[in-house]
Amino acid sequence: MDIFQSILEGCTRAIALQAVDFQRPGRTIGMNGFAGDEAASIRSFSDVIRRAFDIGLTQQATKLIDESCDNICQSRTEVKIGCSIIIRGFLINSTSILTEHKVPPRDPVRNLYATLIRDVLVGKPPERPAKPLGWKQKPRGCHGLCQDCAELNAFLVDSEQASHLFRVAASRRQHIQQVLPADLFLFETVVGGMPHALVVTKTHEEYKRNLTVYSARLSELAARVDGLQGDYVRSLLGDDVYDELVLLKDIVCDDNARQAIKRKANEHLDGSIASRPKLIG
C-alpha cells in the first residue's frame, strides 16, 4: 500500500487522464502495464481508481478523479464522436466504481459526465423528418430553362394534386421521367391521342424512407447512452439534465421509443434507496 500510495500522491498529474487518451493507442499508466490497445489508458486509470478506493485511499482517488475531469473538460474539443464506444464504456465503468464506493456526486464529475454525454454520446441528434403537407414535394426538375420541368415543379409543390398528365413528345416525356427517381414516383404512358401522354403520380415513399433512417439513427443514439440510466447518474446530473441527455426526453418524440428508454432506465436502477449516495449540499 505504501508504494502504491506514494506513486498515487507523487504522480497524480502524470496518471490523470487527458482528452487525447480517448483517441490514441494507450500509454501505460498506474501499475497494470496495459499497452497496445486503444482503450488501455482508460482501463488502467479505472483500475487505479478502483484499487485506491478499495484500500481506503479515498482522498487520493478523489483528487485524481477531479484532475482528470478538469483536464478532459478543458480539452473537450479533442474528444470526437468516433470515440463514443470508449467513452460510453468509461462512463459506465466509472459509474460502477463511484456507486460501489458510495462516492458523493462532485462538480468535476458532474461537469465531465454532462460534457461527454452532450458533446460525444448525444452530439447532434437526428431531426425527425417533417411530414409533407398533403401531396407537396420538393422540386426536382433540371433547373434549366425547361418548360416541361417548370410544369413538373409546379405539380410537385402542389399539395392537393397527386397526379399530373404531360401530353408531350416522347423525348420530352423521357426527360421528365429521367429527372424523377423511379422508386419514388409512379409512371404510366397513356397511348390514346397524339402525342401520347405520361401520367406522373406522387407517393409518400420518400417520407417513409426518411422516417426509417430517422428511426435507425434514433436507435443508434439510444444505444450510445444505454447503460447510463440509473439513480447515481440522475443524482449526479440532476433531473432536468438527466432527462435531456440520458432519457433523451426532448429528442425522442415517439411514445413507443420513449417507453422503451424508460424501461431501460428501470432495468439499470442502482439499487435500493439506502445504497444511494447523498448529494453534497
Side-chain angles (χ1 to χ4, degrees):
M1 170 175 166
D2 291 340
I3 297 177
F4 181 80
Q5 181 175 351
S6 297
I7 294 176
L8 195 60
E9 292 175 346
C11 303
T12 300
R13 181 169 296 181
I15 299 174
L17 285 177
Q18 306 287 337
V20 71
D21 289 320
F22 290 101
Q23 59 188 34
R24 72 178 185 189
R27 56 187 171 88
T28 300
I29 62 174
M31 310 300 180
N32 299 319
F34 287 104
D37 184 336
E38 187 178 33
S41 298
I42 312 302
R43 292 207 315 271
S44 299
F45 174 82
S46 297
D47 289 345
V48 168
I49 293 298
R50 186 183 294 277
R51 180 177 178 185
F53 279 127
D54 284 344
I55 62 179
L57 299 179
T58 302
Q59 183 177 352
Q60 293 87 341
T62 300
K63 181 180 179 181
L64 180 55
I65 290 172
D66 288 354
E67 184 158 343
S68 297
C69 291
D70 290 342
N71 289 344
I72 296 168
C73 288
Q74 290 169 7
S75 305
R76 62 178 179 266
T77 55
E78 297 180 25
V79 183
K80 307 301 181 183
I81 296 293
C83 307
S84 60
I85 294 177
I86 296 175
I87 287 175
R88 175 177 174 270
F90 167 70
L91 292 177
I92 291 175
N93 195 30
S94 297
T95 301
S96 174
I97 295 171
L98 297 172
T99 302
E100 177 185 345
H101 295 280
K102 297 182 174 60
V103 180
R106 299 172 55 80
D107 283 342
V109 180
R110 180 178 295 110
N111 294 337
L112 176 72
Y113 271 61
T115 296
L116 293 182
I117 297 173
R118 176 176 282 112
D119 293 355
V120 180
L121 298 188
V122 175
K124 184 178 180 181
E127 294 184 9
R128 185 181 181 88
K131 187 175 182 178
L133 176 63
W135 289 106
K136 184 176 182 179
Q137 301 200 11
K138 63 184 178 183
R140 294 179 182 272
C142 63
H143 305 294
L145 298 176
C146 173
Q147 178 181 351
D148 294 327
C149 284
E151 181 180 351
L152 172 63
N153 284 333
F155 157 63
L156 292 177
V157 300
D158 190 321
S159 62
E160 298 182 357
Q161 192 177 9
S163 298
H164 189 74
L165 184 147
F166 296 85
R167 190 172 293 280
V168 293
S171 61
R172 295 167 63 183
R173 296 198 305 271
Q174 185 179 20
H175 172 66
I176 292 171
Q177 235 176 306
Q178 286 175 339
V179 298
L180 294 176
D183 54 345
L184 300 181
F185 293 86
L186 300 177
F187 305 100
E188 180 184 1
T189 300
V190 179
V191 297
M194 291 297 294
H196 298 330
L198 175 68
V199 177
V200 178
T201 302
K202 301 172 184 173
T203 72
H204 287 138
E205 185 63 29
E206 183 173 31
Y207 174 63
K208 294 177 183 177
R209 293 184 184 183
N210 289 341
L211 273 182
T212 299
V213 172
Y214 167 75
S215 296
R217 291 178 178 173
L218 205 58
S219 296
E220 292 172 1
L221 174 56
R224 289 201 294 270
V225 297
D226 185 30
L228 295 175
Q229 299 90 347
D231 289 342
Y232 189 88
V233 178
R234 179 181 285 278
S235 70
L236 186 65
L237 297 176
D239 289 341
D240 291 342
V241 178
Y242 178 83
D243 287 349
E244 173 198 353
L245 298 181
V246 179
L247 297 187
L248 307 175
K249 182 178 179 181
D250 298 330
I251 299 172
V252 180
C253 300
D254 180 79
D255 289 338
N256 291 333
R258 184 179 290 136
Q259 289 301 320
I261 293 175
K262 286 184 177 179
R263 285 195 298 272
K264 285 287 188 181
N266 292 331
E267 293 171 3
H268 288 90
L269 289 177
D270 293 331
S272 65
I273 294 176
S275 68
R276 296 175 192 170
K278 295 180 180 179
L279 292 173
I280 298 175

